[in-house]
Coordinates of all heavy atoms in Angstrom, one line a residue:
M1 N -29.1 -43.0 57.5 CA -29.9 -42.6 56.4 C -30.4 -43.8 55.6 O -29.7 -44.7 55.4 CB -29.2 -41.7 55.5 CG -30.0 -41.3 54.2 SD -29.2 -40.1 53.2 CE -29.0 -38.7 54.3
A2 N -31.7 -43.9 55.4 CA -32.3 -45.1 54.6 C -31.7 -45.0 53.2 O -31.5 -44.0 52.6 CB -33.8 -44.9 54.7
Q3 N -31.6 -46.3 52.7 CA -31.2 -46.4 51.3 C -32.1 -45.7 50.3 O -31.7 -45.1 49.3 CB -31.0 -47.9 50.9 CG -29.9 -48.6 51.6 CD -29.9 -50.1 51.2 OE1 -30.9 -50.6 50.8 NE2 -28.8 -50.7 51.3
T4 N -33.4 -45.7 50.6 CA -34.3 -45.0 49.7 C -34.1 -43.5 49.7 O -34.3 -42.9 48.6 CB -35.8 -45.4 50.1 OG1 -36.0 -45.1 51.5 CG2 -36.1 -46.8 49.8
V5 N -33.8 -43.0 50.8 CA -33.6 -41.5 50.9 C -32.4 -41.1 50.2 O -32.3 -40.2 49.4 CB -33.5 -41.0 52.4 CG1 -33.2 -39.6 52.5 CG2 -34.9 -41.3 53.1
L6 N -31.3 -41.9 50.4 CA -30.0 -41.6 49.7 C -30.2 -41.8 48.2 O -29.7 -40.9 47.4 CB -29.0 -42.6 50.2 CG -27.6 -42.5 49.5 CD1 -27.0 -41.1 49.7 CD2 -26.6 -43.6 49.9
A7 N -30.9 -42.7 47.8 CA -31.2 -43.0 46.3 C -31.9 -41.8 45.7 O -31.5 -41.3 44.7 CB -32.0 -44.3 46.2
Q8 N -33.0 -41.4 46.4 CA -33.7 -40.2 45.9 C -32.8 -39.0 45.8 O -32.9 -38.3 44.8 CB -34.9 -39.9 46.8 CG -36.0 -40.9 46.7 CD -37.1 -40.6 47.8 OE1 -36.8 -39.9 48.7 NE2 -38.2 -41.3 47.7
R9 N -31.9 -38.7 46.7 CA -31.1 -37.5 46.8 C -30.0 -37.6 45.7 O -29.6 -36.6 45.3 CB -30.6 -37.3 48.2 CG -31.6 -37.0 49.1 CD -31.0 -36.5 50.5 NE -32.1 -36.2 51.4 CZ -31.9 -36.0 52.7 NH1 -30.7 -36.0 53.1 NH2 -32.9 -35.7 53.5
I10 N -29.6 -38.8 45.3 CA -28.5 -38.8 44.3 C -29.0 -39.3 42.9 O -28.3 -39.3 41.9 CB -27.4 -39.8 44.7 CG1 -27.9 -41.3 44.9 CG2 -26.7 -39.4 46.0 CD1 -26.7 -42.3 45.0
G11 N -30.3 -39.5 42.9 CA -30.9 -39.7 41.5 C -30.9 -41.1 41.0 O -30.8 -41.3 39.8
V12 N -30.8 -42.1 41.9 CA -30.9 -43.5 41.4 C -32.0 -44.3 42.2 O -32.5 -43.7 43.1 CB -29.4 -44.2 41.6 CG1 -28.4 -43.5 40.8 CG2 -29.1 -44.4 43.1
T13 N -32.1 -45.5 41.8 CA -33.0 -46.3 42.6 C -32.5 -46.9 43.8 O -31.2 -47.0 44.0 CB -33.5 -47.6 41.8 OG1 -32.4 -48.4 41.4 CG2 -34.2 -47.1 40.4
F14 N -33.2 -47.3 44.9 CA -32.7 -47.8 46.1 C -32.0 -49.2 45.7 O -31.0 -49.5 46.4 CB -33.7 -48.0 47.2 CG -34.5 -49.2 47.1 CD1 -34.2 -50.3 47.8 CD2 -35.8 -49.1 46.4 CE1 -35.1 -51.5 47.7 CE2 -36.6 -50.2 46.4 CZ -36.2 -51.4 47.1
Q15 N -32.5 -49.9 44.7 CA -31.8 -51.2 44.3 C -30.4 -50.9 43.9 O -29.4 -51.7 44.2 CB -32.6 -51.8 43.2 CG -33.9 -52.4 43.7 CD -35.0 -51.5 43.4 OE1 -34.9 -50.3 43.2 NE2 -36.3 -51.9 43.4
Q16 N -30.2 -49.8 43.2 CA -28.9 -49.4 42.7 C -28.0 -49.1 43.9 O -26.8 -49.5 44.0 CB -28.9 -48.2 41.8 CG -27.6 -47.8 41.1 CD -27.0 -49.0 40.3 OE1 -27.8 -49.6 39.5 NE2 -25.8 -49.3 40.5
V17 N -28.5 -48.4 45.0 CA -27.7 -48.1 46.2 C -27.3 -49.5 46.8 O -26.2 -49.6 47.3 CB -28.5 -47.2 47.1 CG1 -27.8 -47.1 48.5 CG2 -28.7 -45.8 46.5
Q18 N -28.3 -50.4 46.9 CA -27.9 -51.7 47.4 C -26.8 -52.4 46.7 O -25.9 -53.0 47.2 CB -29.1 -52.6 47.4 CG -30.2 -52.2 48.4 CD -31.5 -53.1 48.3 OE1 -31.8 -53.6 47.2 NE2 -32.2 -53.3 49.4
K19 N -26.9 -52.3 45.4 CA -25.7 -52.8 44.5 C -24.4 -52.2 44.8 O -23.4 -52.8 44.9 CB -26.1 -52.8 43.0 CG -27.2 -53.7 42.6 CD -27.6 -53.5 41.2 CE -28.8 -54.3 40.8 NZ -29.2 -54.1 39.4
Y20 N -24.4 -50.9 45.0 CA -23.2 -50.2 45.3 C -22.6 -50.6 46.7 O -21.4 -50.9 46.9 CB -23.4 -48.6 45.5 CG -23.8 -47.9 44.2 CD1 -24.5 -46.7 44.2 CD2 -23.3 -48.3 43.0 CE1 -24.9 -46.0 43.1 CE2 -23.6 -47.6 41.8 CZ -24.4 -46.5 41.9 OH -24.7 -45.8 40.7
E21 N -23.6 -50.8 47.7 CA -23.2 -51.2 49.0 C -22.6 -52.6 49.0 O -21.6 -52.8 49.7 CB -24.5 -51.2 49.9 CG -24.1 -51.3 51.4 CD -25.3 -51.1 52.3 OE1 -26.3 -50.5 51.8 OE2 -25.3 -51.5 53.4
R22 N -23.2 -53.5 48.2 CA -22.7 -54.9 48.2 C -21.4 -55.0 47.3 O -20.7 -56.0 47.4 CB -23.8 -55.8 47.6 CG -24.9 -56.1 48.5 CD -25.7 -57.3 48.0 NE -25.9 -57.4 46.5 CZ -26.9 -56.9 45.8 NH1 -27.9 -56.2 46.5 NH2 -27.0 -56.9 44.6
G23 N -21.1 -54.0 46.5 CA -20.0 -54.1 45.6 C -20.3 -54.7 44.3 O -19.5 -55.1 43.6
A24 N -21.6 -55.0 44.0 CA -22.0 -55.6 42.7 C -21.8 -54.7 41.5 O -21.6 -55.2 40.5 CB -23.5 -56.1 42.9
N25 N -22.0 -53.4 41.8 CA -21.8 -52.4 40.7 C -20.7 -51.4 41.2 O -20.8 -51.0 42.5 CB -23.0 -51.6 40.4 CG -24.1 -52.4 39.6 OD1 -23.9 -53.6 39.4 ND2 -25.1 -51.8 39.2
R26 N -19.9 -50.8 40.3 CA -19.0 -49.8 40.6 C -19.8 -48.4 40.8 O -20.8 -48.2 40.1 CB -17.9 -49.8 39.6 CG -17.1 -50.9 39.6 CD -15.9 -50.7 38.6 NE -15.1 -51.9 38.6 CZ -13.9 -52.0 38.0 NH1 -13.4 -50.9 37.4 NH2 -13.3 -53.0 38.1
V27 N -19.1 -47.6 41.5 CA -19.7 -46.3 41.7 C -18.9 -45.3 40.9 O -17.6 -45.3 41.1 CB -19.6 -45.8 43.3 CG1 -20.2 -44.5 43.5 CG2 -20.3 -46.9 44.1
A28 N -19.5 -44.6 40.0 CA -18.8 -43.6 39.3 C -18.3 -42.4 40.2 O -18.9 -42.2 41.2 CB -19.8 -43.0 38.2
A29 N -17.3 -41.8 39.8 CA -16.7 -40.7 40.6 C -17.8 -39.6 40.9 O -17.8 -39.1 42.0 CB -15.5 -40.1 39.9
S30 N -18.5 -39.3 39.8 CA -19.6 -38.2 40.0 C -20.7 -38.7 41.1 O -21.2 -37.8 41.9 CB -20.2 -37.9 38.7 OG -20.8 -39.1 38.1
T31 N -21.0 -40.0 41.0 CA -21.9 -40.5 42.0 C -21.4 -40.5 43.4 O -22.0 -40.1 44.4 CB -22.4 -41.9 41.6 OG1 -22.9 -41.9 40.2 CG2 -23.5 -42.5 42.5
L32 N -20.2 -40.9 43.5 CA -19.4 -40.9 44.8 C -19.4 -39.5 45.4 O -19.6 -39.3 46.6 CB -18.0 -41.5 44.6 CG -17.3 -41.7 46.0 CD1 -18.0 -42.6 46.9 CD2 -15.9 -42.0 45.7
F33 N -19.2 -38.5 44.5 CA -19.2 -37.1 44.9 C -20.6 -36.7 45.5 O -20.7 -36.1 46.5 CB -18.8 -36.2 43.8 CG -18.7 -34.8 44.2 CD1 -17.6 -34.2 44.9 CD2 -19.8 -33.9 43.8 CE1 -17.6 -32.9 45.2 CE2 -19.7 -32.6 44.2 CZ -18.6 -32.0 44.9
S34 N -21.6 -37.2 44.8 CA -23.0 -36.9 45.2 C -23.3 -37.4 46.5 O -23.9 -36.9 47.3 CB -24.0 -37.3 44.1 OG -23.8 -36.6 42.9
I35 N -22.9 -38.7 46.6 CA -23.2 -39.5 47.9 C -22.4 -38.7 49.0 O -23.0 -38.5 50.1 CB -22.6 -40.9 47.8 CG1 -23.5 -41.7 46.8 CG2 -22.6 -41.5 49.2 CD1 -23.0 -43.1 46.5
A36 N -21.2 -38.3 48.8 CA -20.5 -37.6 49.9 C -21.1 -36.3 50.2 O -21.3 -35.9 51.5 CB -19.0 -37.3 49.4
K37 N -21.6 -35.6 49.2 CA -22.3 -34.4 49.4 C -23.6 -34.6 50.3 O -23.8 -33.8 51.2 CB -22.6 -33.7 48.1 CG -22.9 -32.3 48.1 CD -22.9 -31.7 46.7 CE -23.2 -30.2 46.7 NZ -23.4 -29.7 45.3
V38 N -24.4 -35.6 49.9 CA -25.6 -35.9 50.6 C -25.3 -36.2 52.1 O -26.0 -35.8 53.0 CB -26.4 -37.0 50.0 CG1 -27.5 -37.5 50.8 CG2 -27.0 -36.5 48.6
L39 N -24.3 -37.0 52.4 CA -23.9 -37.4 53.6 C -23.1 -36.3 54.4 O -22.7 -36.6 55.6 CB -23.2 -38.7 53.6 CG -23.9 -40.0 53.0 CD1 -23.0 -41.1 52.9 CD2 -25.1 -40.3 53.8
D40 N -22.8 -35.3 53.8 CA -22.0 -34.2 54.4 C -20.7 -34.7 54.8 O -20.2 -34.5 56.0 CB -22.8 -33.5 55.5 CG -22.1 -32.3 55.9 OD1 -21.5 -31.6 55.2 OD2 -22.3 -31.8 57.1
L41 N -20.0 -35.5 53.9 CA -18.7 -35.9 54.2 C -17.6 -35.5 53.0 O -18.2 -35.4 52.0 CB -18.7 -37.5 54.3 CG -19.5 -38.1 55.4 CD1 -19.7 -39.6 55.2 CD2 -18.7 -37.8 56.7
P42 N -16.4 -35.5 53.4 CA -15.5 -35.4 52.2 C -15.4 -36.7 51.5 O -15.5 -37.8 52.1 CB -14.1 -35.0 52.9 CG -14.2 -35.6 54.3 CD -15.7 -35.6 54.6
V43 N -15.1 -36.6 50.1 CA -15.0 -37.9 49.4 C -13.8 -38.8 50.0 O -14.0 -40.1 49.9 CB -14.7 -37.6 47.9 CG1 -14.4 -38.8 47.1 CG2 -15.9 -36.8 47.3
T44 N -12.9 -38.2 50.6 CA -11.8 -39.0 51.1 C -12.2 -39.8 52.3 O -11.4 -40.8 52.6 CB -10.7 -38.0 51.6 OG1 -11.2 -37.1 52.5 CG2 -10.0 -37.3 50.4
A45 N -13.4 -39.6 52.9 CA -13.9 -40.4 54.0 C -14.1 -41.8 53.5 O -14.2 -42.8 54.3 CB -15.1 -39.8 54.5
F46 N -14.3 -42.0 52.2 CA -14.5 -43.4 51.7 C -13.3 -44.2 51.4 O -13.4 -45.4 50.9 CB -15.5 -43.3 50.4 CG -16.8 -42.6 50.6 CD1 -17.0 -41.4 50.2 CD2 -17.7 -43.3 51.4 CE1 -18.2 -40.8 50.4 CE2 -18.9 -42.8 51.6 CZ -19.2 -41.5 51.1
F47 N -12.1 -43.6 51.5 CA -10.9 -44.3 51.2 C -10.0 -44.3 52.4 O -9.7 -43.3 53.1 CB -10.1 -43.5 50.1 CG -11.0 -43.4 48.8 CD1 -11.8 -42.2 48.6 CD2 -10.9 -44.4 47.9 CE1 -12.5 -42.2 47.4 CE2 -11.7 -44.3 46.7 CZ -12.5 -43.2 46.5
P48 N -9.4 -45.5 52.7 CA -8.4 -45.6 53.7 C -7.1 -44.8 53.3 O -6.9 -44.7 52.1 CB -8.2 -47.1 53.9 CG -8.5 -47.7 52.6 CD -9.6 -46.8 52.1
A49 N -6.3 -44.5 54.2 CA -5.0 -43.8 54.0 C -4.1 -44.8 53.3 O -3.3 -45.4 54.0 CB -4.4 -43.1 55.2
A50 N -4.1 -45.0 52.0 CA -3.4 -46.1 51.3 C -1.9 -45.8 51.4 O -1.4 -44.6 51.1 CB -3.8 -46.1 49.8
G51 N -1.2 -46.8 51.9 CA 0.3 -46.6 51.8 C 0.9 -45.7 52.9 O 2.0 -45.4 52.9
S52 N 0.0 -45.3 53.8 CA 0.5 -44.2 54.7 C 1.1 -44.8 56.0 O 1.6 -44.2 56.8 CB -0.6 -43.3 55.2 OG -1.6 -44.0 56.0
G53 N 1.0 -46.1 56.1 CA 1.6 -46.8 57.3 C 0.8 -46.5 58.5 O 1.3 -46.7 59.6
T54 N -0.4 -46.1 58.3 CA -1.3 -45.8 59.5 C -2.4 -46.9 59.8 O -3.5 -46.4 60.1 CB -1.9 -44.4 59.4 OG1 -2.6 -44.3 58.2 CG2 -0.8 -43.3 59.3
S55 N -2.1 -48.1 59.6 CA -3.0 -49.1 59.7 C -3.7 -49.0 61.0 O -3.1 -48.9 62.1 CB -2.4 -50.5 59.6 OG -3.4 -51.5 59.7
G56 N -5.1 -49.0 61.1 CA -5.7 -48.9 62.3 C -5.9 -47.5 62.8 O -6.3 -47.2 63.9
A57 N -5.4 -46.6 62.1 CA -5.4 -45.1 62.6 C -6.9 -44.6 62.6 O -7.7 -45.2 61.9 CB -4.5 -44.3 61.7
L58 N -7.0 -43.6 63.3 CA -8.4 -43.1 63.5 C -9.0 -42.7 62.1 O -10.2 -42.9 61.9 CB -8.3 -41.8 64.3 CG -9.7 -41.1 64.7 CD1 -10.5 -42.1 65.5 CD2 -9.5 -39.9 65.5
T59 N -8.2 -42.3 61.2 CA -8.9 -41.9 59.9 C -9.4 -43.1 59.1 O -10.1 -42.9 58.1 CB -7.8 -41.2 59.0 OG1 -6.6 -42.1 58.8 CG2 -7.4 -39.9 59.6
E60 N -9.1 -44.2 59.5 CA -9.5 -45.5 58.8 C -10.6 -46.3 59.5 O -11.0 -47.2 58.9 CB -8.3 -46.4 58.7 CG -7.2 -45.9 57.8 CD -6.1 -46.8 57.6 OE1 -6.3 -48.1 57.7 OE2 -4.9 -46.4 57.5
T61 N -11.1 -45.8 60.6 CA -12.1 -46.5 61.3 C -13.5 -46.0 61.0 O -13.8 -44.9 60.8 CB -11.8 -46.5 62.8 OG1 -11.9 -45.2 63.3 CG2 -10.4 -47.0 63.1
E62 N -14.4 -46.9 61.3 CA -15.9 -46.6 61.3 C -16.2 -45.6 62.3 O -16.9 -44.6 62.2 CB -16.8 -47.7 61.3 CG -16.7 -48.6 60.1 CD -17.7 -49.8 60.1 OE1 -18.7 -49.6 60.9 OE2 -17.4 -50.8 59.5
D63 N -15.5 -45.7 63.5 CA -15.7 -44.8 64.6 C -15.3 -43.4 64.2 O -16.1 -42.4 64.6 CB -14.9 -45.2 65.8 CG -15.3 -46.5 66.5 OD1 -16.6 -46.9 66.2 OD2 -14.6 -47.0 67.3
A64 N -14.3 -43.3 63.6 CA -13.8 -41.9 63.1 C -14.8 -41.3 62.2 O -15.1 -40.0 62.3 CB -12.4 -42.0 62.4
L65 N -15.3 -42.1 61.2 CA -16.4 -41.6 60.4 C -17.6 -41.1 61.1 O -18.1 -40.0 60.9 CB -16.7 -42.6 59.3 CG -17.8 -42.3 58.3 CD1 -17.2 -41.2 57.4 CD2 -18.1 -43.5 57.4
E66 N -18.0 -41.9 62.1 CA -19.1 -41.5 62.9 C -18.8 -40.2 63.7 O -19.7 -39.3 63.8 CB -19.5 -42.6 63.8 CG -20.8 -42.3 64.6 CD -21.2 -43.5 65.6 OE1 -20.4 -44.5 65.7 OE2 -22.2 -43.3 66.2
L67 N -17.6 -40.1 64.3 CA -17.3 -38.9 65.0 C -17.3 -37.7 64.1 O -17.8 -36.6 64.5 CB -15.8 -39.1 65.7 CG -15.9 -40.0 66.9 CD1 -14.4 -40.3 67.2 CD2 -16.6 -39.4 68.0
R68 N -16.7 -37.8 62.9 CA -16.7 -36.7 62.0 C -18.2 -36.2 61.7 O -18.5 -35.1 61.6 CB -16.0 -37.0 60.7 CG -14.5 -36.9 60.9 CD -13.8 -37.0 59.6 NE -14.1 -38.1 58.8 CZ -13.3 -39.1 58.6 NH1 -12.1 -39.2 59.2 NH2 -13.7 -40.2 57.8
L69 N -19.0 -37.2 61.5 CA -20.4 -37.0 61.1 C -21.2 -36.3 62.3 O -21.8 -35.3 62.1 CB -21.1 -38.3 60.7 CG -22.5 -38.1 60.2 CD1 -22.6 -37.2 58.9 CD2 -23.2 -39.5 59.9
I70 N -20.9 -36.8 63.5 CA -21.6 -36.1 64.6 C -21.1 -34.8 64.8 O -21.8 -33.8 65.0 CB -21.3 -37.0 65.9 CG1 -22.0 -38.4 65.9 CG2 -21.6 -36.2 67.1 CD1 -21.6 -39.4 66.9
Y71 N -19.7 -34.5 64.7 CA -19.1 -33.2 64.9 C -19.6 -32.2 64.0 O -19.9 -31.1 64.2 CB -17.6 -33.4 64.8 CG -16.9 -32.1 65.0 CD1 -16.5 -31.7 66.3 CD2 -16.4 -31.3 63.9 CE1 -15.8 -30.5 66.5 CE2 -15.8 -30.1 64.2 CZ -15.5 -29.7 65.5 OH -14.9 -28.5 65.6
S72 N -19.8 -32.6 62.6 CA -20.2 -31.7 61.6 C -21.7 -31.2 61.9 O -22.0 -30.2 61.3 CB -20.2 -32.4 60.2 OG -21.2 -33.4 60.2
R73 N -22.4 -31.9 62.6 CA -23.9 -31.5 62.9 C -24.0 -30.7 64.2 O -25.1 -30.3 64.5 CB -24.7 -32.8 63.0 CG -24.8 -33.5 61.7 CD -25.6 -34.8 61.8 NE -25.8 -35.4 60.5 CZ -26.2 -36.6 60.3 NH1 -26.5 -37.4 61.3 NH2 -26.3 -37.2 59.1
L74 N -22.9 -30.5 64.9 CA -23.0 -29.8 66.2 C -22.9 -28.3 66.1 O -22.4 -27.8 65.1 CB -21.8 -30.3 67.1 CG -21.7 -31.7 67.5 CD1 -20.5 -31.9 68.3 CD2 -23.0 -32.0 68.4
S75 N -23.6 -27.6 67.0 CA -23.4 -26.2 67.0 C -22.0 -25.8 67.4 O -21.3 -26.6 68.0 CB -24.5 -25.6 68.1 OG -24.0 -25.9 69.4
P76 N -21.6 -24.5 67.2 CA -20.3 -24.1 67.5 C -20.0 -24.4 69.0 O -18.9 -24.8 69.4 CB -20.3 -22.6 67.2 CG -21.2 -22.5 66.1 CD -22.3 -23.5 66.4
R77 N -20.9 -24.1 69.9 CA -20.8 -24.3 71.4 C -20.6 -25.7 71.7 O -19.8 -26.2 72.5 CB -21.9 -23.7 72.2 CG -21.8 -23.8 73.6 CD -20.6 -23.1 74.2 NE -20.6 -23.4 75.7 CZ -19.5 -23.8 76.3 NH1 -18.3 -23.8 75.7 NH2 -19.5 -24.0 77.6
A78 N -21.4 -26.6 71.1 CA -21.4 -28.0 71.4 C -20.0 -28.6 70.8 O -19.5 -29.6 71.4 CB -22.5 -28.7 70.6
R79 N -19.5 -28.0 69.7 CA -18.2 -28.4 69.2 C -17.1 -28.1 70.2 O -16.2 -29.0 70.4 CB -17.9 -27.7 67.8 CG -18.7 -28.3 66.7 CD -18.3 -27.6 65.5 NE -19.1 -28.2 64.3 CZ -18.8 -27.9 63.1 NH1 -17.9 -27.1 62.7 NH2 -19.5 -28.5 62.1
E80 N -17.2 -27.0 70.8 CA -16.1 -26.6 71.8 C -16.2 -27.7 72.9 O -15.2 -28.1 73.4 CB -16.4 -25.2 72.4 CG -16.2 -24.2 71.5 CD -16.4 -22.7 72.1 OE1 -16.4 -22.7 73.3 OE2 -16.7 -21.8 71.3
L81 N -17.4 -28.0 73.5 CA -17.5 -28.9 74.6 C -17.0 -30.3 74.1 O -16.4 -31.0 74.9 CB -19.0 -29.0 75.0 CG -19.5 -27.8 75.7 CD1 -21.0 -27.8 75.8 CD2 -18.8 -27.4 77.0
F82 N -17.4 -30.7 72.9 CA -17.0 -32.0 72.4 C -15.4 -32.1 72.3 O -14.9 -33.1 72.8 CB -17.6 -32.1 70.9 CG -17.4 -33.5 70.3 CD1 -18.2 -34.5 70.5 CD2 -16.3 -33.7 69.4 CE1 -18.0 -35.7 69.9 CE2 -16.0 -34.9 68.8 CZ -17.0 -35.9 69.0
L83 N -14.8 -31.1 71.8 CA -13.3 -31.1 71.7 C -12.7 -31.0 73.1 O -11.7 -31.7 73.3 CB -12.9 -29.9 70.9 CG -13.1 -30.0 69.4 CD1 -12.7 -28.7 68.7 CD2 -12.3 -31.1 68.8
A84 N -13.3 -30.3 74.0 CA -12.7 -30.3 75.3 C -12.8 -31.6 76.0 O -11.8 -32.1 76.6 CB -13.4 -29.2 76.2
T85 N -13.9 -32.3 75.8 CA -14.0 -33.7 76.3 C -13.0 -34.6 75.7 O -12.4 -35.4 76.4 CB -15.5 -34.2 76.1 OG1 -16.4 -33.2 76.7 CG2 -15.7 -35.6 76.7
A86 N -12.9 -34.5 74.4 CA -11.9 -35.4 73.7 C -10.5 -35.2 74.2 O -9.7 -36.1 74.4 CB -12.0 -35.2 72.2
R87 N -10.2 -33.9 74.4 CA -8.8 -33.5 74.9 C -8.6 -34.0 76.3 O -7.5 -34.5 76.6 CB -8.5 -32.0 74.8 CG -8.5 -31.5 73.4 CD -8.2 -30.0 73.4 NE -8.4 -29.5 72.0 CZ -9.2 -28.6 71.6 NH1 -10.0 -28.0 72.5 NH2 -9.2 -28.2 70.3
A88 N -9.6 -34.0 77.1 CA -9.5 -34.5 78.4 C -9.3 -36.0 78.4 O -8.4 -36.5 79.2 CB -10.8 -34.2 79.2
F89 N -10.0 -36.7 77.6 CA -9.7 -38.2 77.4 C -8.3 -38.4 76.9 O -7.7 -39.4 77.4 CB -10.8 -38.8 76.6 CG -12.1 -39.1 77.2 CD1 -13.2 -38.4 76.9 CD2 -12.1 -40.2 78.2 CE1 -14.4 -38.8 77.6 CE2 -13.3 -40.5 78.8 CZ -14.5 -39.8 78.5
G90 N -7.8 -37.7 76.0 CA -6.5 -37.9 75.4 C -5.5 -37.6 76.4 O -4.5 -38.4 76.6
A91 N -5.6 -36.5 77.2 CA -4.6 -36.2 78.3 C -4.7 -37.4 79.4 O -3.6 -37.8 79.9 CB -5.0 -34.9 78.9
Q92 N -5.9 -37.9 79.7 CA -5.9 -39.0 80.7 C -5.3 -40.3 80.2 O -4.7 -41.0 81.0 CB -7.5 -39.3 80.9 CG -7.9 -40.0 82.1 CD -9.3 -40.0 82.3 OE1 -10.0 -40.3 81.4 NE2 -9.8 -39.8 83.5
E93 N -5.2 -40.5 78.9 CA -4.7 -41.7 78.3 C -3.2 -41.4 78.0 O -2.5 -42.2 77.4 CB -5.3 -42.1 77.0 CG -6.7 -42.4 77.2 CD -6.8 -43.8 77.9 OE1 -6.0 -44.7 77.7 OE2 -7.7 -44.0 78.7
G94 N -2.6 -40.3 78.4 CA -1.2 -40.0 78.3 C -0.8 -39.6 76.9 O 0.2 -39.8 76.4
E95 N -1.8 -39.0 76.1 CA -1.6 -38.5 74.7 C -0.9 -37.2 74.6 O -1.1 -36.5 73.6 CB -2.9 -38.6 74.0 CG -3.5 -39.9 73.8 CD -2.6 -40.9 73.0 OE1 -2.0 -40.5 72.0 OE2 -2.5 -42.1 73.3
G96 N -0.2 -36.7 75.6 CA 0.5 -35.5 75.5 C -0.3 -34.3 76.1 O -1.4 -34.5 76.8
P97 N 0.3 -33.1 76.0 CA -0.4 -31.9 76.6 C -1.6 -31.5 76.0 O -1.9 -31.9 74.8 CB 0.6 -30.8 76.3 CG 1.4 -31.3 75.1 CD 1.4 -32.8 75.2
K98 N -2.5 -30.9 76.8 CA -3.8 -30.4 76.3 C -3.5 -29.2 75.3 O -2.6 -28.4 75.5 CB -4.7 -29.9 77.4 CG -5.1 -31.0 78.3 CD -6.0 -30.6 79.4 CE -6.4 -31.6 80.3 NZ -7.2 -31.1 81.5
R99 N -4.4 -29.0 74.3 CA -4.3 -27.9 73.4 C -4.8 -26.7 74.1 O -5.9 -26.8 74.7 CB -5.1 -28.3 72.2 CG -4.8 -27.5 71.0 CD -5.4 -28.1 69.8 NE -5.8 -27.2 68.8 CZ -6.5 -27.3 67.9 NH1 -7.1 -28.5 67.6 NH2 -7.0 -26.5 67.0
P100 N -4.2 -25.6 74.0 CA -4.7 -24.3 74.5 C -6.1 -23.9 74.0 O -6.4 -24.2 72.8 CB -3.7 -23.3 74.3 CG -2.9 -23.9 73.1 CD -3.0 -25.3 73.1
K101 N -6.9 -23.3 74.9 CA -8.2 -22.8 74.5 C -8.1 -21.6 73.5 O -7.1 -20.9 73.6 CB -9.0 -22.3 75.6 CG -9.4 -23.4 76.5 CD -10.3 -22.9 77.7 CE -10.7 -24.0 78.7 NZ -11.5 -23.4 79.8
K102 N -9.0 -21.5 72.5 CA -9.1 -20.4 71.6 C -9.5 -19.2 72.4 O -10.3 -19.2 73.3 CB -10.1 -20.7 70.6 CG -9.8 -21.6 69.5 CD -10.9 -21.6 68.5 CE -10.8 -22.7 67.6 NZ -11.9 -22.7 66.6
R103 N -8.9 -18.0 72.0 CA -9.3 -16.7 72.6 C -10.4 -16.2 71.7 O -10.6 -16.4 70.6 CB -8.2 -15.7 72.4 CG -7.1 -16.0 73.4 CD -6.2 -14.9 73.3 NE -5.2 -15.1 74.5 CZ -4.3 -14.3 74.8 NH1 -4.1 -13.2 74.0 NH2 -3.4 -14.5 75.8
R104 N -11.5 -15.6 72.4 CA -12.6 -15.2 71.8 C -12.5 -13.7 71.5 O -11.9 -12.9 72.1 CB -13.9 -15.4 72.5 CG -14.1 -16.9 72.6 CD -15.4 -17.1 73.4 NE -15.5 -18.5 73.7 CZ -16.6 -19.1 74.1 NH1 -17.6 -18.4 74.2 NH2 -16.6 -20.4 74.3

């Protein structure tokens, strides 16, 4: 999403969004909430799992954020296929048993 679009949706100038991105200005909690809402993400997506001992875990990576964003935009059927593919990769990598399919 372009900075100008994000800025319009949260009610600030694009220059202010640039300052937030660079860390020149702090982001108020209410603004962070608005940004998360516009991006369709939980506010927790902006924070690493502090003190959890999960350094490098999926929840802390940009890839995980991108995967969550992609997943949130999928149709229910596409989500099923996405998860099936991810499970197949996990099983291939020796990540344990596959999760059973949901009953309809």
Side-chain angles (χ1 to χ4, degrees):
M1 175 177 297
Q3 289 177 337
T4 52
V5 173
L6 177 60
Q8 288 172 346
R9 291 187 183 173
I10 64 171
V12 299
T13 65
F14 82 92
Q15 291 93 341
Q16 186 62 44
V17 171
Q18 288 176 329
K19 290 176 184 179
Y20 292 152
E21 189 174 343
R22 285 194 325 264
N25 286 9
R26 292 183 180 195
V27 180
S30 59
T31 304
L32 185 62
F33 181 78
S34 296
I35 292 169
K37 203 170 174 184
V38 167
L39 297 177
D40 195 27
L41 295 170
V43 173
T44 56
F46 298 107
F47 300 95
S52 68
T54 57
S55 181
L58 184 61
T59 56
E60 296 181 29
T61 66
E62 288 183 28
D63 291 343
L65 183 60
E66 183 179 6
L67 286 170
R68 285 193 300 256
L69 186 59
I70 292 168
Y71 182 83
S72 71
R73 293 177 176 165
L74 296 176
S75 69
R77 177 65 181 135
R79 286 181 179 193
E80 287 179 26
L81 295 171
F82 185 86
L83 287 172
T85 302
R87 289 182 188 122
F89 277 111
Q92 201 172 44
E93 295 292 321
E95 294 295 323
K98 293 180 184 177
R99 197 166 149 194
K101 291 182 180 180
K102 285 185 191 178
R103 288 189 170 182
R104 293 182 191 196

